[in-house]
Amino acid sequence: MALTVHRGVSIVLIIIAIFYLYLAFQLPSFMNTVIDADTIPKITGFLLIILSVLYFFMPVKETEVEKEKRTEAKNDWHYILGMFIMTFLYITLLEVSGFLVTSIVFIFVCTRMLGYKKWKTNSIVSVLVPLFLYLSFTFLLNVRLPTGFMPF
Amino acid sequence: MKKLVSVSASSFLTLMMLSACSDTGSEEASSDQGEWSPTNNLEFVAPAGAGGGWDTTARMAAQAFEEAGIVDVGIGVINREGGGGAVGWSYIANQAGDPHYLFAASPPLLLIPLNGQSEYSYEDFTPIANVIADFGAFAVRDDAPWQDLNELFEDMQDESSSITVVGESAPGSMDHVQFVNIAKAAGVDPGSITYVSAQDGSAMTNLLNGSVDVYSTGVTETIEQVRAGEVRVLAVTAEERLEGDTVEDYPTAIEQGIDEVFVNWRGFFGPPDMTEAEVEYYVNAFTELNESEEWDAVRERYSWDEYFMVGEEYKQFLEEQNEEMRLLLEELDLYGESE
Amino acid sequence: MIDFSGILSGLQMAISLEGILFVFIGVFVGTFIGLMPGLGPISAIAIMIPMTYNMDPTIALVMMAGVYYGAIFGGSTSSILLNAPGVAGTVATSFDGYPMAQQGKAGKALAIAAIAAFIGGTVSVVFLMLFAPVLSSVAIQFGPPEYFALMLLGLTAIASLSSGSTIKALMSALLGIMVVTIGIDAQTGTVRFTFGSANLLEGIDFLVIALGIFALAEVCALIINRQKTTFNAKTIGSLKITKEDFKEMVGPMSRQSVLGFIIGVLPGAGATIASFIGYTTEKRFAKNPDEFGKGSIKGLTAPETANNAATSGAFVPLLSLGIPGSGTTAVMLGALLVLNVQPGPLLMTENPTLFWGVIMSMYIGNIFLLILNLPLIPYISKILAIPRPMLISLVVVFCIIGVYSISFSIFDLYVLLAFGVIGYLMRMFQFPAAPFILAFILGGMLEQSFRQAMTISGNDVSIFISNPLSATLLALAAVSFLFPLWQSYRNKKNNNQTLSM
């Protein structure tokens, strides 16, 4: 009984379901209703466990195509990770430094990181697009975007 | 469009002024002198979506303030929807110390925290002024067997009955509590009332198609269906009959011998830690608003009652209301049960 | 029965200079906002409310209606080009629209979507005109048990949205239901699965999930393939639809404009359910259902026709009963109240100009949308000719601004990022995202209507089968769920037999 990919996945799902059920069983009960706030979550949690267990014992064999899809990122995983880290920083700094500054830096650095080398085009786009978005949101749509420490 | 431009232009101007005098610390300077006025645009927060009661109150007040020229700076209205108000309140709580933010409030500001669904309660904020009130109405289908409120409540006391009440708010909030409040005064056991919450706007549909028997809602929501002869209003929760076409025909609970009212008061609150000077500025502004023609027109348009209170009077009113709501929710077995 | 003088006065209003001008402004702004990442019809209307303050109510409603269907019309663009559905109603559009664009046929995909939307929009206005009063009495028959049955019927689409493994699709759907249970429960007020965070009280917004699981996850795939040559900017914008293509569109367009309209009439059901049901019914009827999900013309036409037809349908309960049929029409109702118009059952007789004016203006609005959008397509589709590294950065910025402009919450942005990771993992292990999002959209209403019905009946399940409407819908749901299973079982058996022979 080897631990194949699909068995690993089903174990993860079972853990998620158990955690969810644990929380569901802690929900307070309300008045005297039979179908309470915890009914549907409990059903959902148990169903997921049942399906995951079924899936665990299913004779699933990973096809070549599936394997390729799963491992397609093997040469690029650091780009993907870099992208997520960049986005994380972008979000964290959004209200601190304001939409304009953060977006300009984000677009420029990200585009460069992913391998675009024409720095002139890159600078123009990374300034113009956020500026256009900022102006149209603020003045045309009346939606306030964070200004941060900048006056606008 | 023109207004938009002027608002943005004025905000730009204030920004320039702000940055010009930012090193002197304008806020502190002014509060030392015992007087305060806004140094920036004001933001009125409706802790709910566009089109609701809080939203309308905030927007109309902002409009009237500008039209009557009471406030010199621009006023933006923004919606911070979520958690029956909790999301908006925590946003305001985070603005502590910045008096440029106000929010529109009504009974849910008491009810939601009492239900344990908000970490902030009315005591965390600075009450500024109450401005208006409107009232609840209980509607039934036109072909319903009950001719008045007492007949309905009599039937509800019979245990074999299966009368269901629908409302748009969550259990333990407005629509539910206003019904329970009146029903309890008539001798109905609050715990025996079956309340269905229809927050997707299907409440009236469910009354009309017979899924439920009673619709507990605001007065305005009933008017069109009453005029079309689809539903009847058994009672309003006001002390006296309301004025205006159609609504003047709605009987009060009091005139049917049930001595209880429910006021849907609406006012404005500021963030925590406001100075006296700041509160005074707003109290004066709202007093002026309350007496303005512009606001009078707004009140008439929405058939809102004048219900003006500031200072100690407002604080005391809120305390009393809060205590009353707490007792009611306790009886419903809803009070603070989440933690 | 038909009120000709009313129609006439409405028509007069609609073709007056003012009427035409404002319906144009409405659809123009609507398309623009719809094109904007993350801004859907609800925010579009909310943005327009302050501008309508001092307007004539009829003109204001004509304009807001234009914004509404304009935003739905424009909203499909980001689904097709970037796999970033900004509105729930255009999720199904991305299933075949995005693959088609990835094959270098972005212009064609957008043109098909525009024509499908135009036909769906226009045909449904005809229905709106003829049957509004009759249909409103049907719509009102839908109580909690009927909605429960309808949601269940919608959920059976899961089985046909699975590409391959049904069990994976079902598990994906269960995860979607888990996510939708986060927040305050509407029936009891119980706080569920929020880990004490006030930010989660209202639950997680649809847009956060959709942009995370579809758009951000797709960004990862783009990163992997970023070196692939970008499309030729000349061919990408070609609108060319051949006769054969058009023939394929006719079937779905004629069926889905009717079906979509009927579903749109039901308060609360709306464009999303219409588009999913549209997509799955066409997949069932199709001769080669395998093409669906890989850039099928039918698969793109169906949801686009259905969601635009449903948009007009949503005006039936609003105009003839004063009951908002969707989140967007609810905001519109609020705006009308500000203008001192209270729509109700008497609106049609007391204010026929408003009632018919809005309906008649929809014909004009739809024509404007078509002539406004078609010439733009070659330019808009060039977005895909942007070098991949830059396109990737821009998509991320679009997702962020889209989520931020509806909630103004940094917390939601972190959730967006988290769902980007989840979406990528699901992609990696080939868990289909469509059942997840469908269950998320329908799950909340499914649970609430189930519990409302049980409260009303005093916990008696027979409420679901005792009334004919919900019983019929439940039977349909059962057939719709079991049919594909039976089909695949039979196919397998046949295959086995051929093998053993």
Side-chain angles (χ1 to χ4, degrees), chain B residues 4 59-60 63 80 82-83 86 117 171 194 196-199 205-206 208-209 211-212 220 224-225 227-228 301-302, chain C residues 51 53 140-144 186-189 201-202 321 323 334 337-338 340 342-343 345-346 350 408 452 455-456:
Chain B
L4 251 179
R59 280 182 199 282
M60 286 302 126
Q63 202 185 359
R80 293 259 168 183
Q117 290 160 4
T194 314
V196 180
S197 166
Q199 293 175 26
T205 318
N206 285 329
L208 293 175
N209 69 26
S211 297
V212 296
T220 32
E224 284 305 305
Q225 303 293 339
R227 287 182 55 224
R301 197 201 295 188
Y302 294 99
Chain C
M51 300 183 195
Y53 275 154
I140 213 160
Q141 294 312 314
F142 263 67
Q187 290 310 305
T188 58
L201 285 176
E202 191 74 349
L321 299 169
I323 291 169
L337 295 181
V338 174
N340 223 1
Q342 168 84 315
L346 301 178
E350 287 183 353
F408 302 96
Q452 283 173 342
T455 311
I456 288 167

Side-chain angles (χ1 to χ4, degrees), chain C residues 53-141:
Chain C
Y53 275 154
N54 298 314
M55 274 189 189
D56 170 68
T58 308
I59 295 290
L61 190 60
V62 161
M63 189 179 79
M64 282 191 288
V67 172
Y68 181 21
Y69 51 79
I72 298 262
F73 204 107
S76 55
T77 309
S78 57
S79 284
I80 291 172
L81 294 182
L82 305 173
N83 204 28
V87 195
T90 63
V91 170
T93 307
S94 70
F95 295 164
D96 280 284
Y98 184 67
M100 204 185 275
Q102 287 301 297
Q103 292 154 16
K105 293 183 280 190
K108 185 170 156 182
L110 289 175
I112 290 175
I115 292 168
F118 171 74
I119 298 289
T122 308
V123 172
S124 62
V125 180
V126 178
F127 285 115
L128 183 60
M129 199 172 83
L130 296 177
F131 304 122
V134 188
L135 278 173
S136 63
S137 57
V138 179
I140 213 160
Q141 294 312 314

Side-chain angles (χ1 to χ4, degrees), chain C residues 5-301:
Chain C
S5 67
I7 293 181
L8 214 62
S9 75
L11 187 66
Q12 259 171 2
M13 198 250 94
I15 58 171
S16 69
L17 193 63
E18 212 186 6
I20 289 180
L21 180 70
F22 279 92
V23 79
F24 180 77
I25 293 176
V27 296
F28 183 79
V29 173
T31 313
F32 178 68
I33 295 180
L35 283 174
M36 279 289 193
L39 290 185
I42 295 194
S43 18
I45 304 271
I47 288 165
M48 296 304 278
I49 285 182
M51 300 183 195
T52 60
Y53 275 154
N54 298 314
M55 274 189 189
D56 170 68
T58 308
I59 295 290
L61 190 60
V62 161
M63 189 179 79
M64 282 191 288
V67 172
Y68 181 21
Y69 51 79
I72 298 262
F73 204 107
S76 55
T77 309
S78 57
S79 284
I80 291 172
L81 294 182
L82 305 173
N83 204 28
V87 195
T90 63
V91 170
T93 307
S94 70
F95 295 164
D96 280 284
Y98 184 67
M100 204 185 275
Q102 287 301 297
Q103 292 154 16
K105 293 183 280 190
K108 185 170 156 182
L110 289 175
I112 290 175
I115 292 168
F118 171 74
I119 298 289
T122 308
V123 172
S124 62
V125 180
V126 178
F127 285 115
L128 183 60
M129 199 172 83
L130 296 177
F131 304 122
V134 188
L135 278 173
S136 63
S137 57
V138 179
I140 213 160
Q141 294 312 314
F142 263 67
E146 287 81 10
Y147 274 111
F148 172 74
L150 183 71
M151 295 302 129
L152 216 54
L153 178 61
L155 270 181
T156 58
I158 289 170
S160 35
L161 289 176
S162 63
S163 47
S165 165
T166 312
I167 192 166
K168 272 181 165 172
L170 290 175
M171 287 193 282
S172 176
L174 286 172
L175 290 173
I177 292 181
M178 283 183 175
V179 175
V180 83
T181 55
I182 295 172
I184 293 180
D185 167 44
Q187 290 310 305
T188 58
T190 311
V191 178
R192 301 192 288 187
F193 313 112
T194 61
F195 305 99
S197 163
N199 292 302
L200 286 173
L201 285 176
E202 191 74 349
I204 298 174
D205 194 87
F206 159 79
L207 198 65
V208 174
I209 308 261
L211 291 183
I213 269 186
F214 282 83
L216 284 188
E218 193 56 37
V219 159
C220 300
L222 288 177
I223 290 178
I224 294 162
N225 302 321
R226 72 186 177 289
Q227 304 298 2
K228 277 192 189 160
T229 43
T230 44
F231 304 115
N232 183 340
K234 267 186 192 135
T235 58
I236 202 175
S238 157
L239 302 182
K240 208 169 171 200
I241 298 176
T242 63
K243 239 183 202 164
E244 284 73 40
D245 295 341
F246 194 74
K247 257 187 202 154
E248 280 205 49
M249 293 170 65
V250 172
M253 281 197 299
S254 49
R255 283 187 290 270
Q256 297 314 323
S257 30
V258 184
L259 194 59
F261 176 74
I262 293 173
I263 295 170
V265 167
L266 304 172
T272 313
I273 298 178
S275 64
F276 273 101
I277 290 184
Y279 186 83
T280 47
T281 46
E282 289 305 326
K283 189 174 174 181
R284 300 257 166 90
F285 281 130
K287 278 191 207 104
N288 23 12
D290 293 341
E291 281 177 13
F292 277 64
K294 294 172 188 146
S296 151
I297 291 176
K298 282 197 166 89
L300 172 60
T301 313

Side-chain angles (χ1 to χ4, degrees), chain C residues 248-446:
Chain C
E248 280 205 49
M249 293 170 65
V250 172
M253 281 197 299
S254 49
R255 283 187 290 270
Q256 297 314 323
S257 30
V258 184
L259 194 59
F261 176 74
I262 293 173
I263 295 170
V265 167
L266 304 172
T272 313
I273 298 178
S275 64
F276 273 101
I277 290 184
Y279 186 83
T280 47
T281 46
E282 289 305 326
K283 189 174 174 181
R284 300 257 166 90
F285 281 130
K287 278 191 207 104
N288 23 12
D290 293 341
E291 281 177 13
F292 277 64
K294 294 172 188 146
S296 151
I297 291 176
K298 282 197 166 89
L300 172 60
T301 313
E304 264 307 285
T305 314
N307 73 26
N308 282 278
T311 310
S312 322
F315 280 89
V316 171
L318 178 73
L319 291 176
S320 55
L321 299 169
I323 291 169
S326 66
T328 317
T329 43
V331 177
M332 239 183 259
L333 183 72
L336 282 178
L337 295 181
V338 174
L339 295 169
N340 223 1
V341 176
Q342 168 84 315
L346 301 178
L347 183 77
M348 196 168 87
T349 42
E350 287 183 353
N351 200 341
T353 313
L354 186 141
F355 184 89
W356 293 109
V358 172
I359 293 176
M360 300 317 272
S361 78
M362 287 178 170
Y363 287 113
I364 300 170
N366 270 296
I367 295 170
F368 272 142
L369 277 175
L370 196 65
I371 51 182
L372 201 67
N373 278 278
L374 282 181
L376 282 178
I377 287 174
Y379 304 100
I380 293 176
S381 47
K382 290 221 174 84
I383 287 174
L384 290 188
I386 296 174
R388 284 282 168 87
M390 189 168 275
L391 186 64
I392 291 166
S393 326
L394 293 178
V395 171
V396 174
V397 172
F398 284 161
C399 291
I400 301 269
I401 199 175
V403 169
Y404 191 83
S405 62
I406 54 155
S407 69
F408 302 96
S409 145
I410 292 291
F411 180 87
D412 277 8
L413 294 179
Y414 288 124
V415 179
L416 168 77
L417 190 62
F419 274 100
V421 176
I422 293 171
Y424 179 62
L425 290 175
M426 284 173 72
R427 200 190 151 86
M428 206 164 127
F429 294 102
Q430 278 147 79
F431 272 72
F436 181 92
I437 199 97
L438 181 65
F440 176 81
I441 294 167
L442 303 184
M445 236 172 125
L446 183 82

